[in-house]
Amino acid sequence: MASTNDLKNGMVLDLDGQLWSVVWFQHHKPGKGNTVVRTKLKHVLTGKVVDRTFNSDTKVDTASVDRREMQYLYHDGSGYVFMDTSNYEQMVIPDDTVGDAKNYLLPEHMATVAIHEDTPLYLDLPASVELEVTYTEPGLQGDRSTGGTKPATVETGLQIQVPLFLTTGERVKVDTRDGSYLGRVG
């Protein structure tokens, strides 16, 4: 249990049996009446964001969410197998929990896995990953100018937009939040 006065960004609350992460909060004192706490809460499993207002000093249940640094090993057909780097225990995370993060996962990549009561909730990936371009159309002579992009497929199967001068086999840095091209690597 915690008070709404103790809320912090990233804190996970258990409201009516569902887990919600605090995205934003603000204490507000209207002209008349008691202080209230306005919040933006994100449903941990569905990603739905809602606005909710609590009276000041209201007691709310907090959920203990364990964030562990884990290494991705392989996909076994039923889910993604991760290994806890601290004790070498392996955990299978279902496909729907991994979601779009699969587009940025390669064997031996690290990710932070949020776990509540032995159930994996979601993955936090690094802000960017380095991936190899496995296929893109060859650039034409004169395509060295700024601007202009073309589709490229990276080694995870994700298709991204890259500058015209990139060729198959080059390594690129990709933003894991929106899949955008960030630059060439070495």
Side-chain angles (χ1 to χ4, degrees), residues 20 25 45 51 91 119 146-147:
W20 298 86
F25 70 96
L45 299 177
D51 292 327
M91 171 184 281
T119 304
T146 58

Side-chain angles (χ1 to χ4, degrees), residues 14-134:
D14 186 347
L15 303 174
D16 305 321
Q18 298 194 33
L19 298 179
W20 298 86
S21 176
V22 177
V23 177
W24 171 87
F25 70 96
Q26 177 185 42
H27 295 272
H28 178 70
K29 173 81 170 121
K32 294 180 181 176
N34 296 331
T35 303
V36 294
V37 179
R38 293 179 177 162
T39 63
K40 259 192 203 312
L41 302 174
K42 181 178 179 182
H43 194 277
V44 168
L45 299 177
T46 64
K48 178 181 174 184
V49 178
V50 297
D51 292 327
R52 184 143 176 202
T53 303
F54 298 95
N55 287 327
S56 183
D57 262 345
T58 301
K59 298 292 183 204
V60 290
D61 286 327
T62 57
S64 61
V65 174
D66 185 19
R67 289 177 169 80
R68 297 185 199 162
E69 193 69 20
M70 299 184 94
Q71 183 179 40
Y72 171 58
L73 299 178
Y74 58 90
H75 186 272
D76 70 356
S78 64
Y80 292 81
V81 179
F82 282 81
M83 177 182 66
D84 189 329
T85 54
S86 62
N87 60 13
Y88 304 108
E89 286 182 16
Q90 292 185 9
M91 171 184 281
V92 177
I93 300 178
D95 292 354
D96 56 341
T97 301
V98 172
D100 288 340
K102 72 177 185 289
N103 294 323
Y104 310 103
L105 280 176
L106 287 175
E108 299 183 15
H109 274 187
M110 301 301 288
T112 303
V113 180
I115 301 167
H116 174 66
E117 295 176 357
D118 294 328
T119 304
L121 301 174
Y122 59 88
L123 296 180
D124 274 337
L125 295 174
S128 65
V129 292
E130 293 178 11
L131 300 169
E132 184 177 327
V133 175
T134 55

Side-chain angles (χ1 to χ4, degrees), residues 2-3 6-13 20-23 62 67:
S3 163
D6 302 328
L7 292 181
K8 292 184 176 30
N9 289 344
M11 185 181 273
V12 179
L13 307 177
W20 298 86
S21 176
V22 177
V23 177
T62 57
R67 289 177 169 80

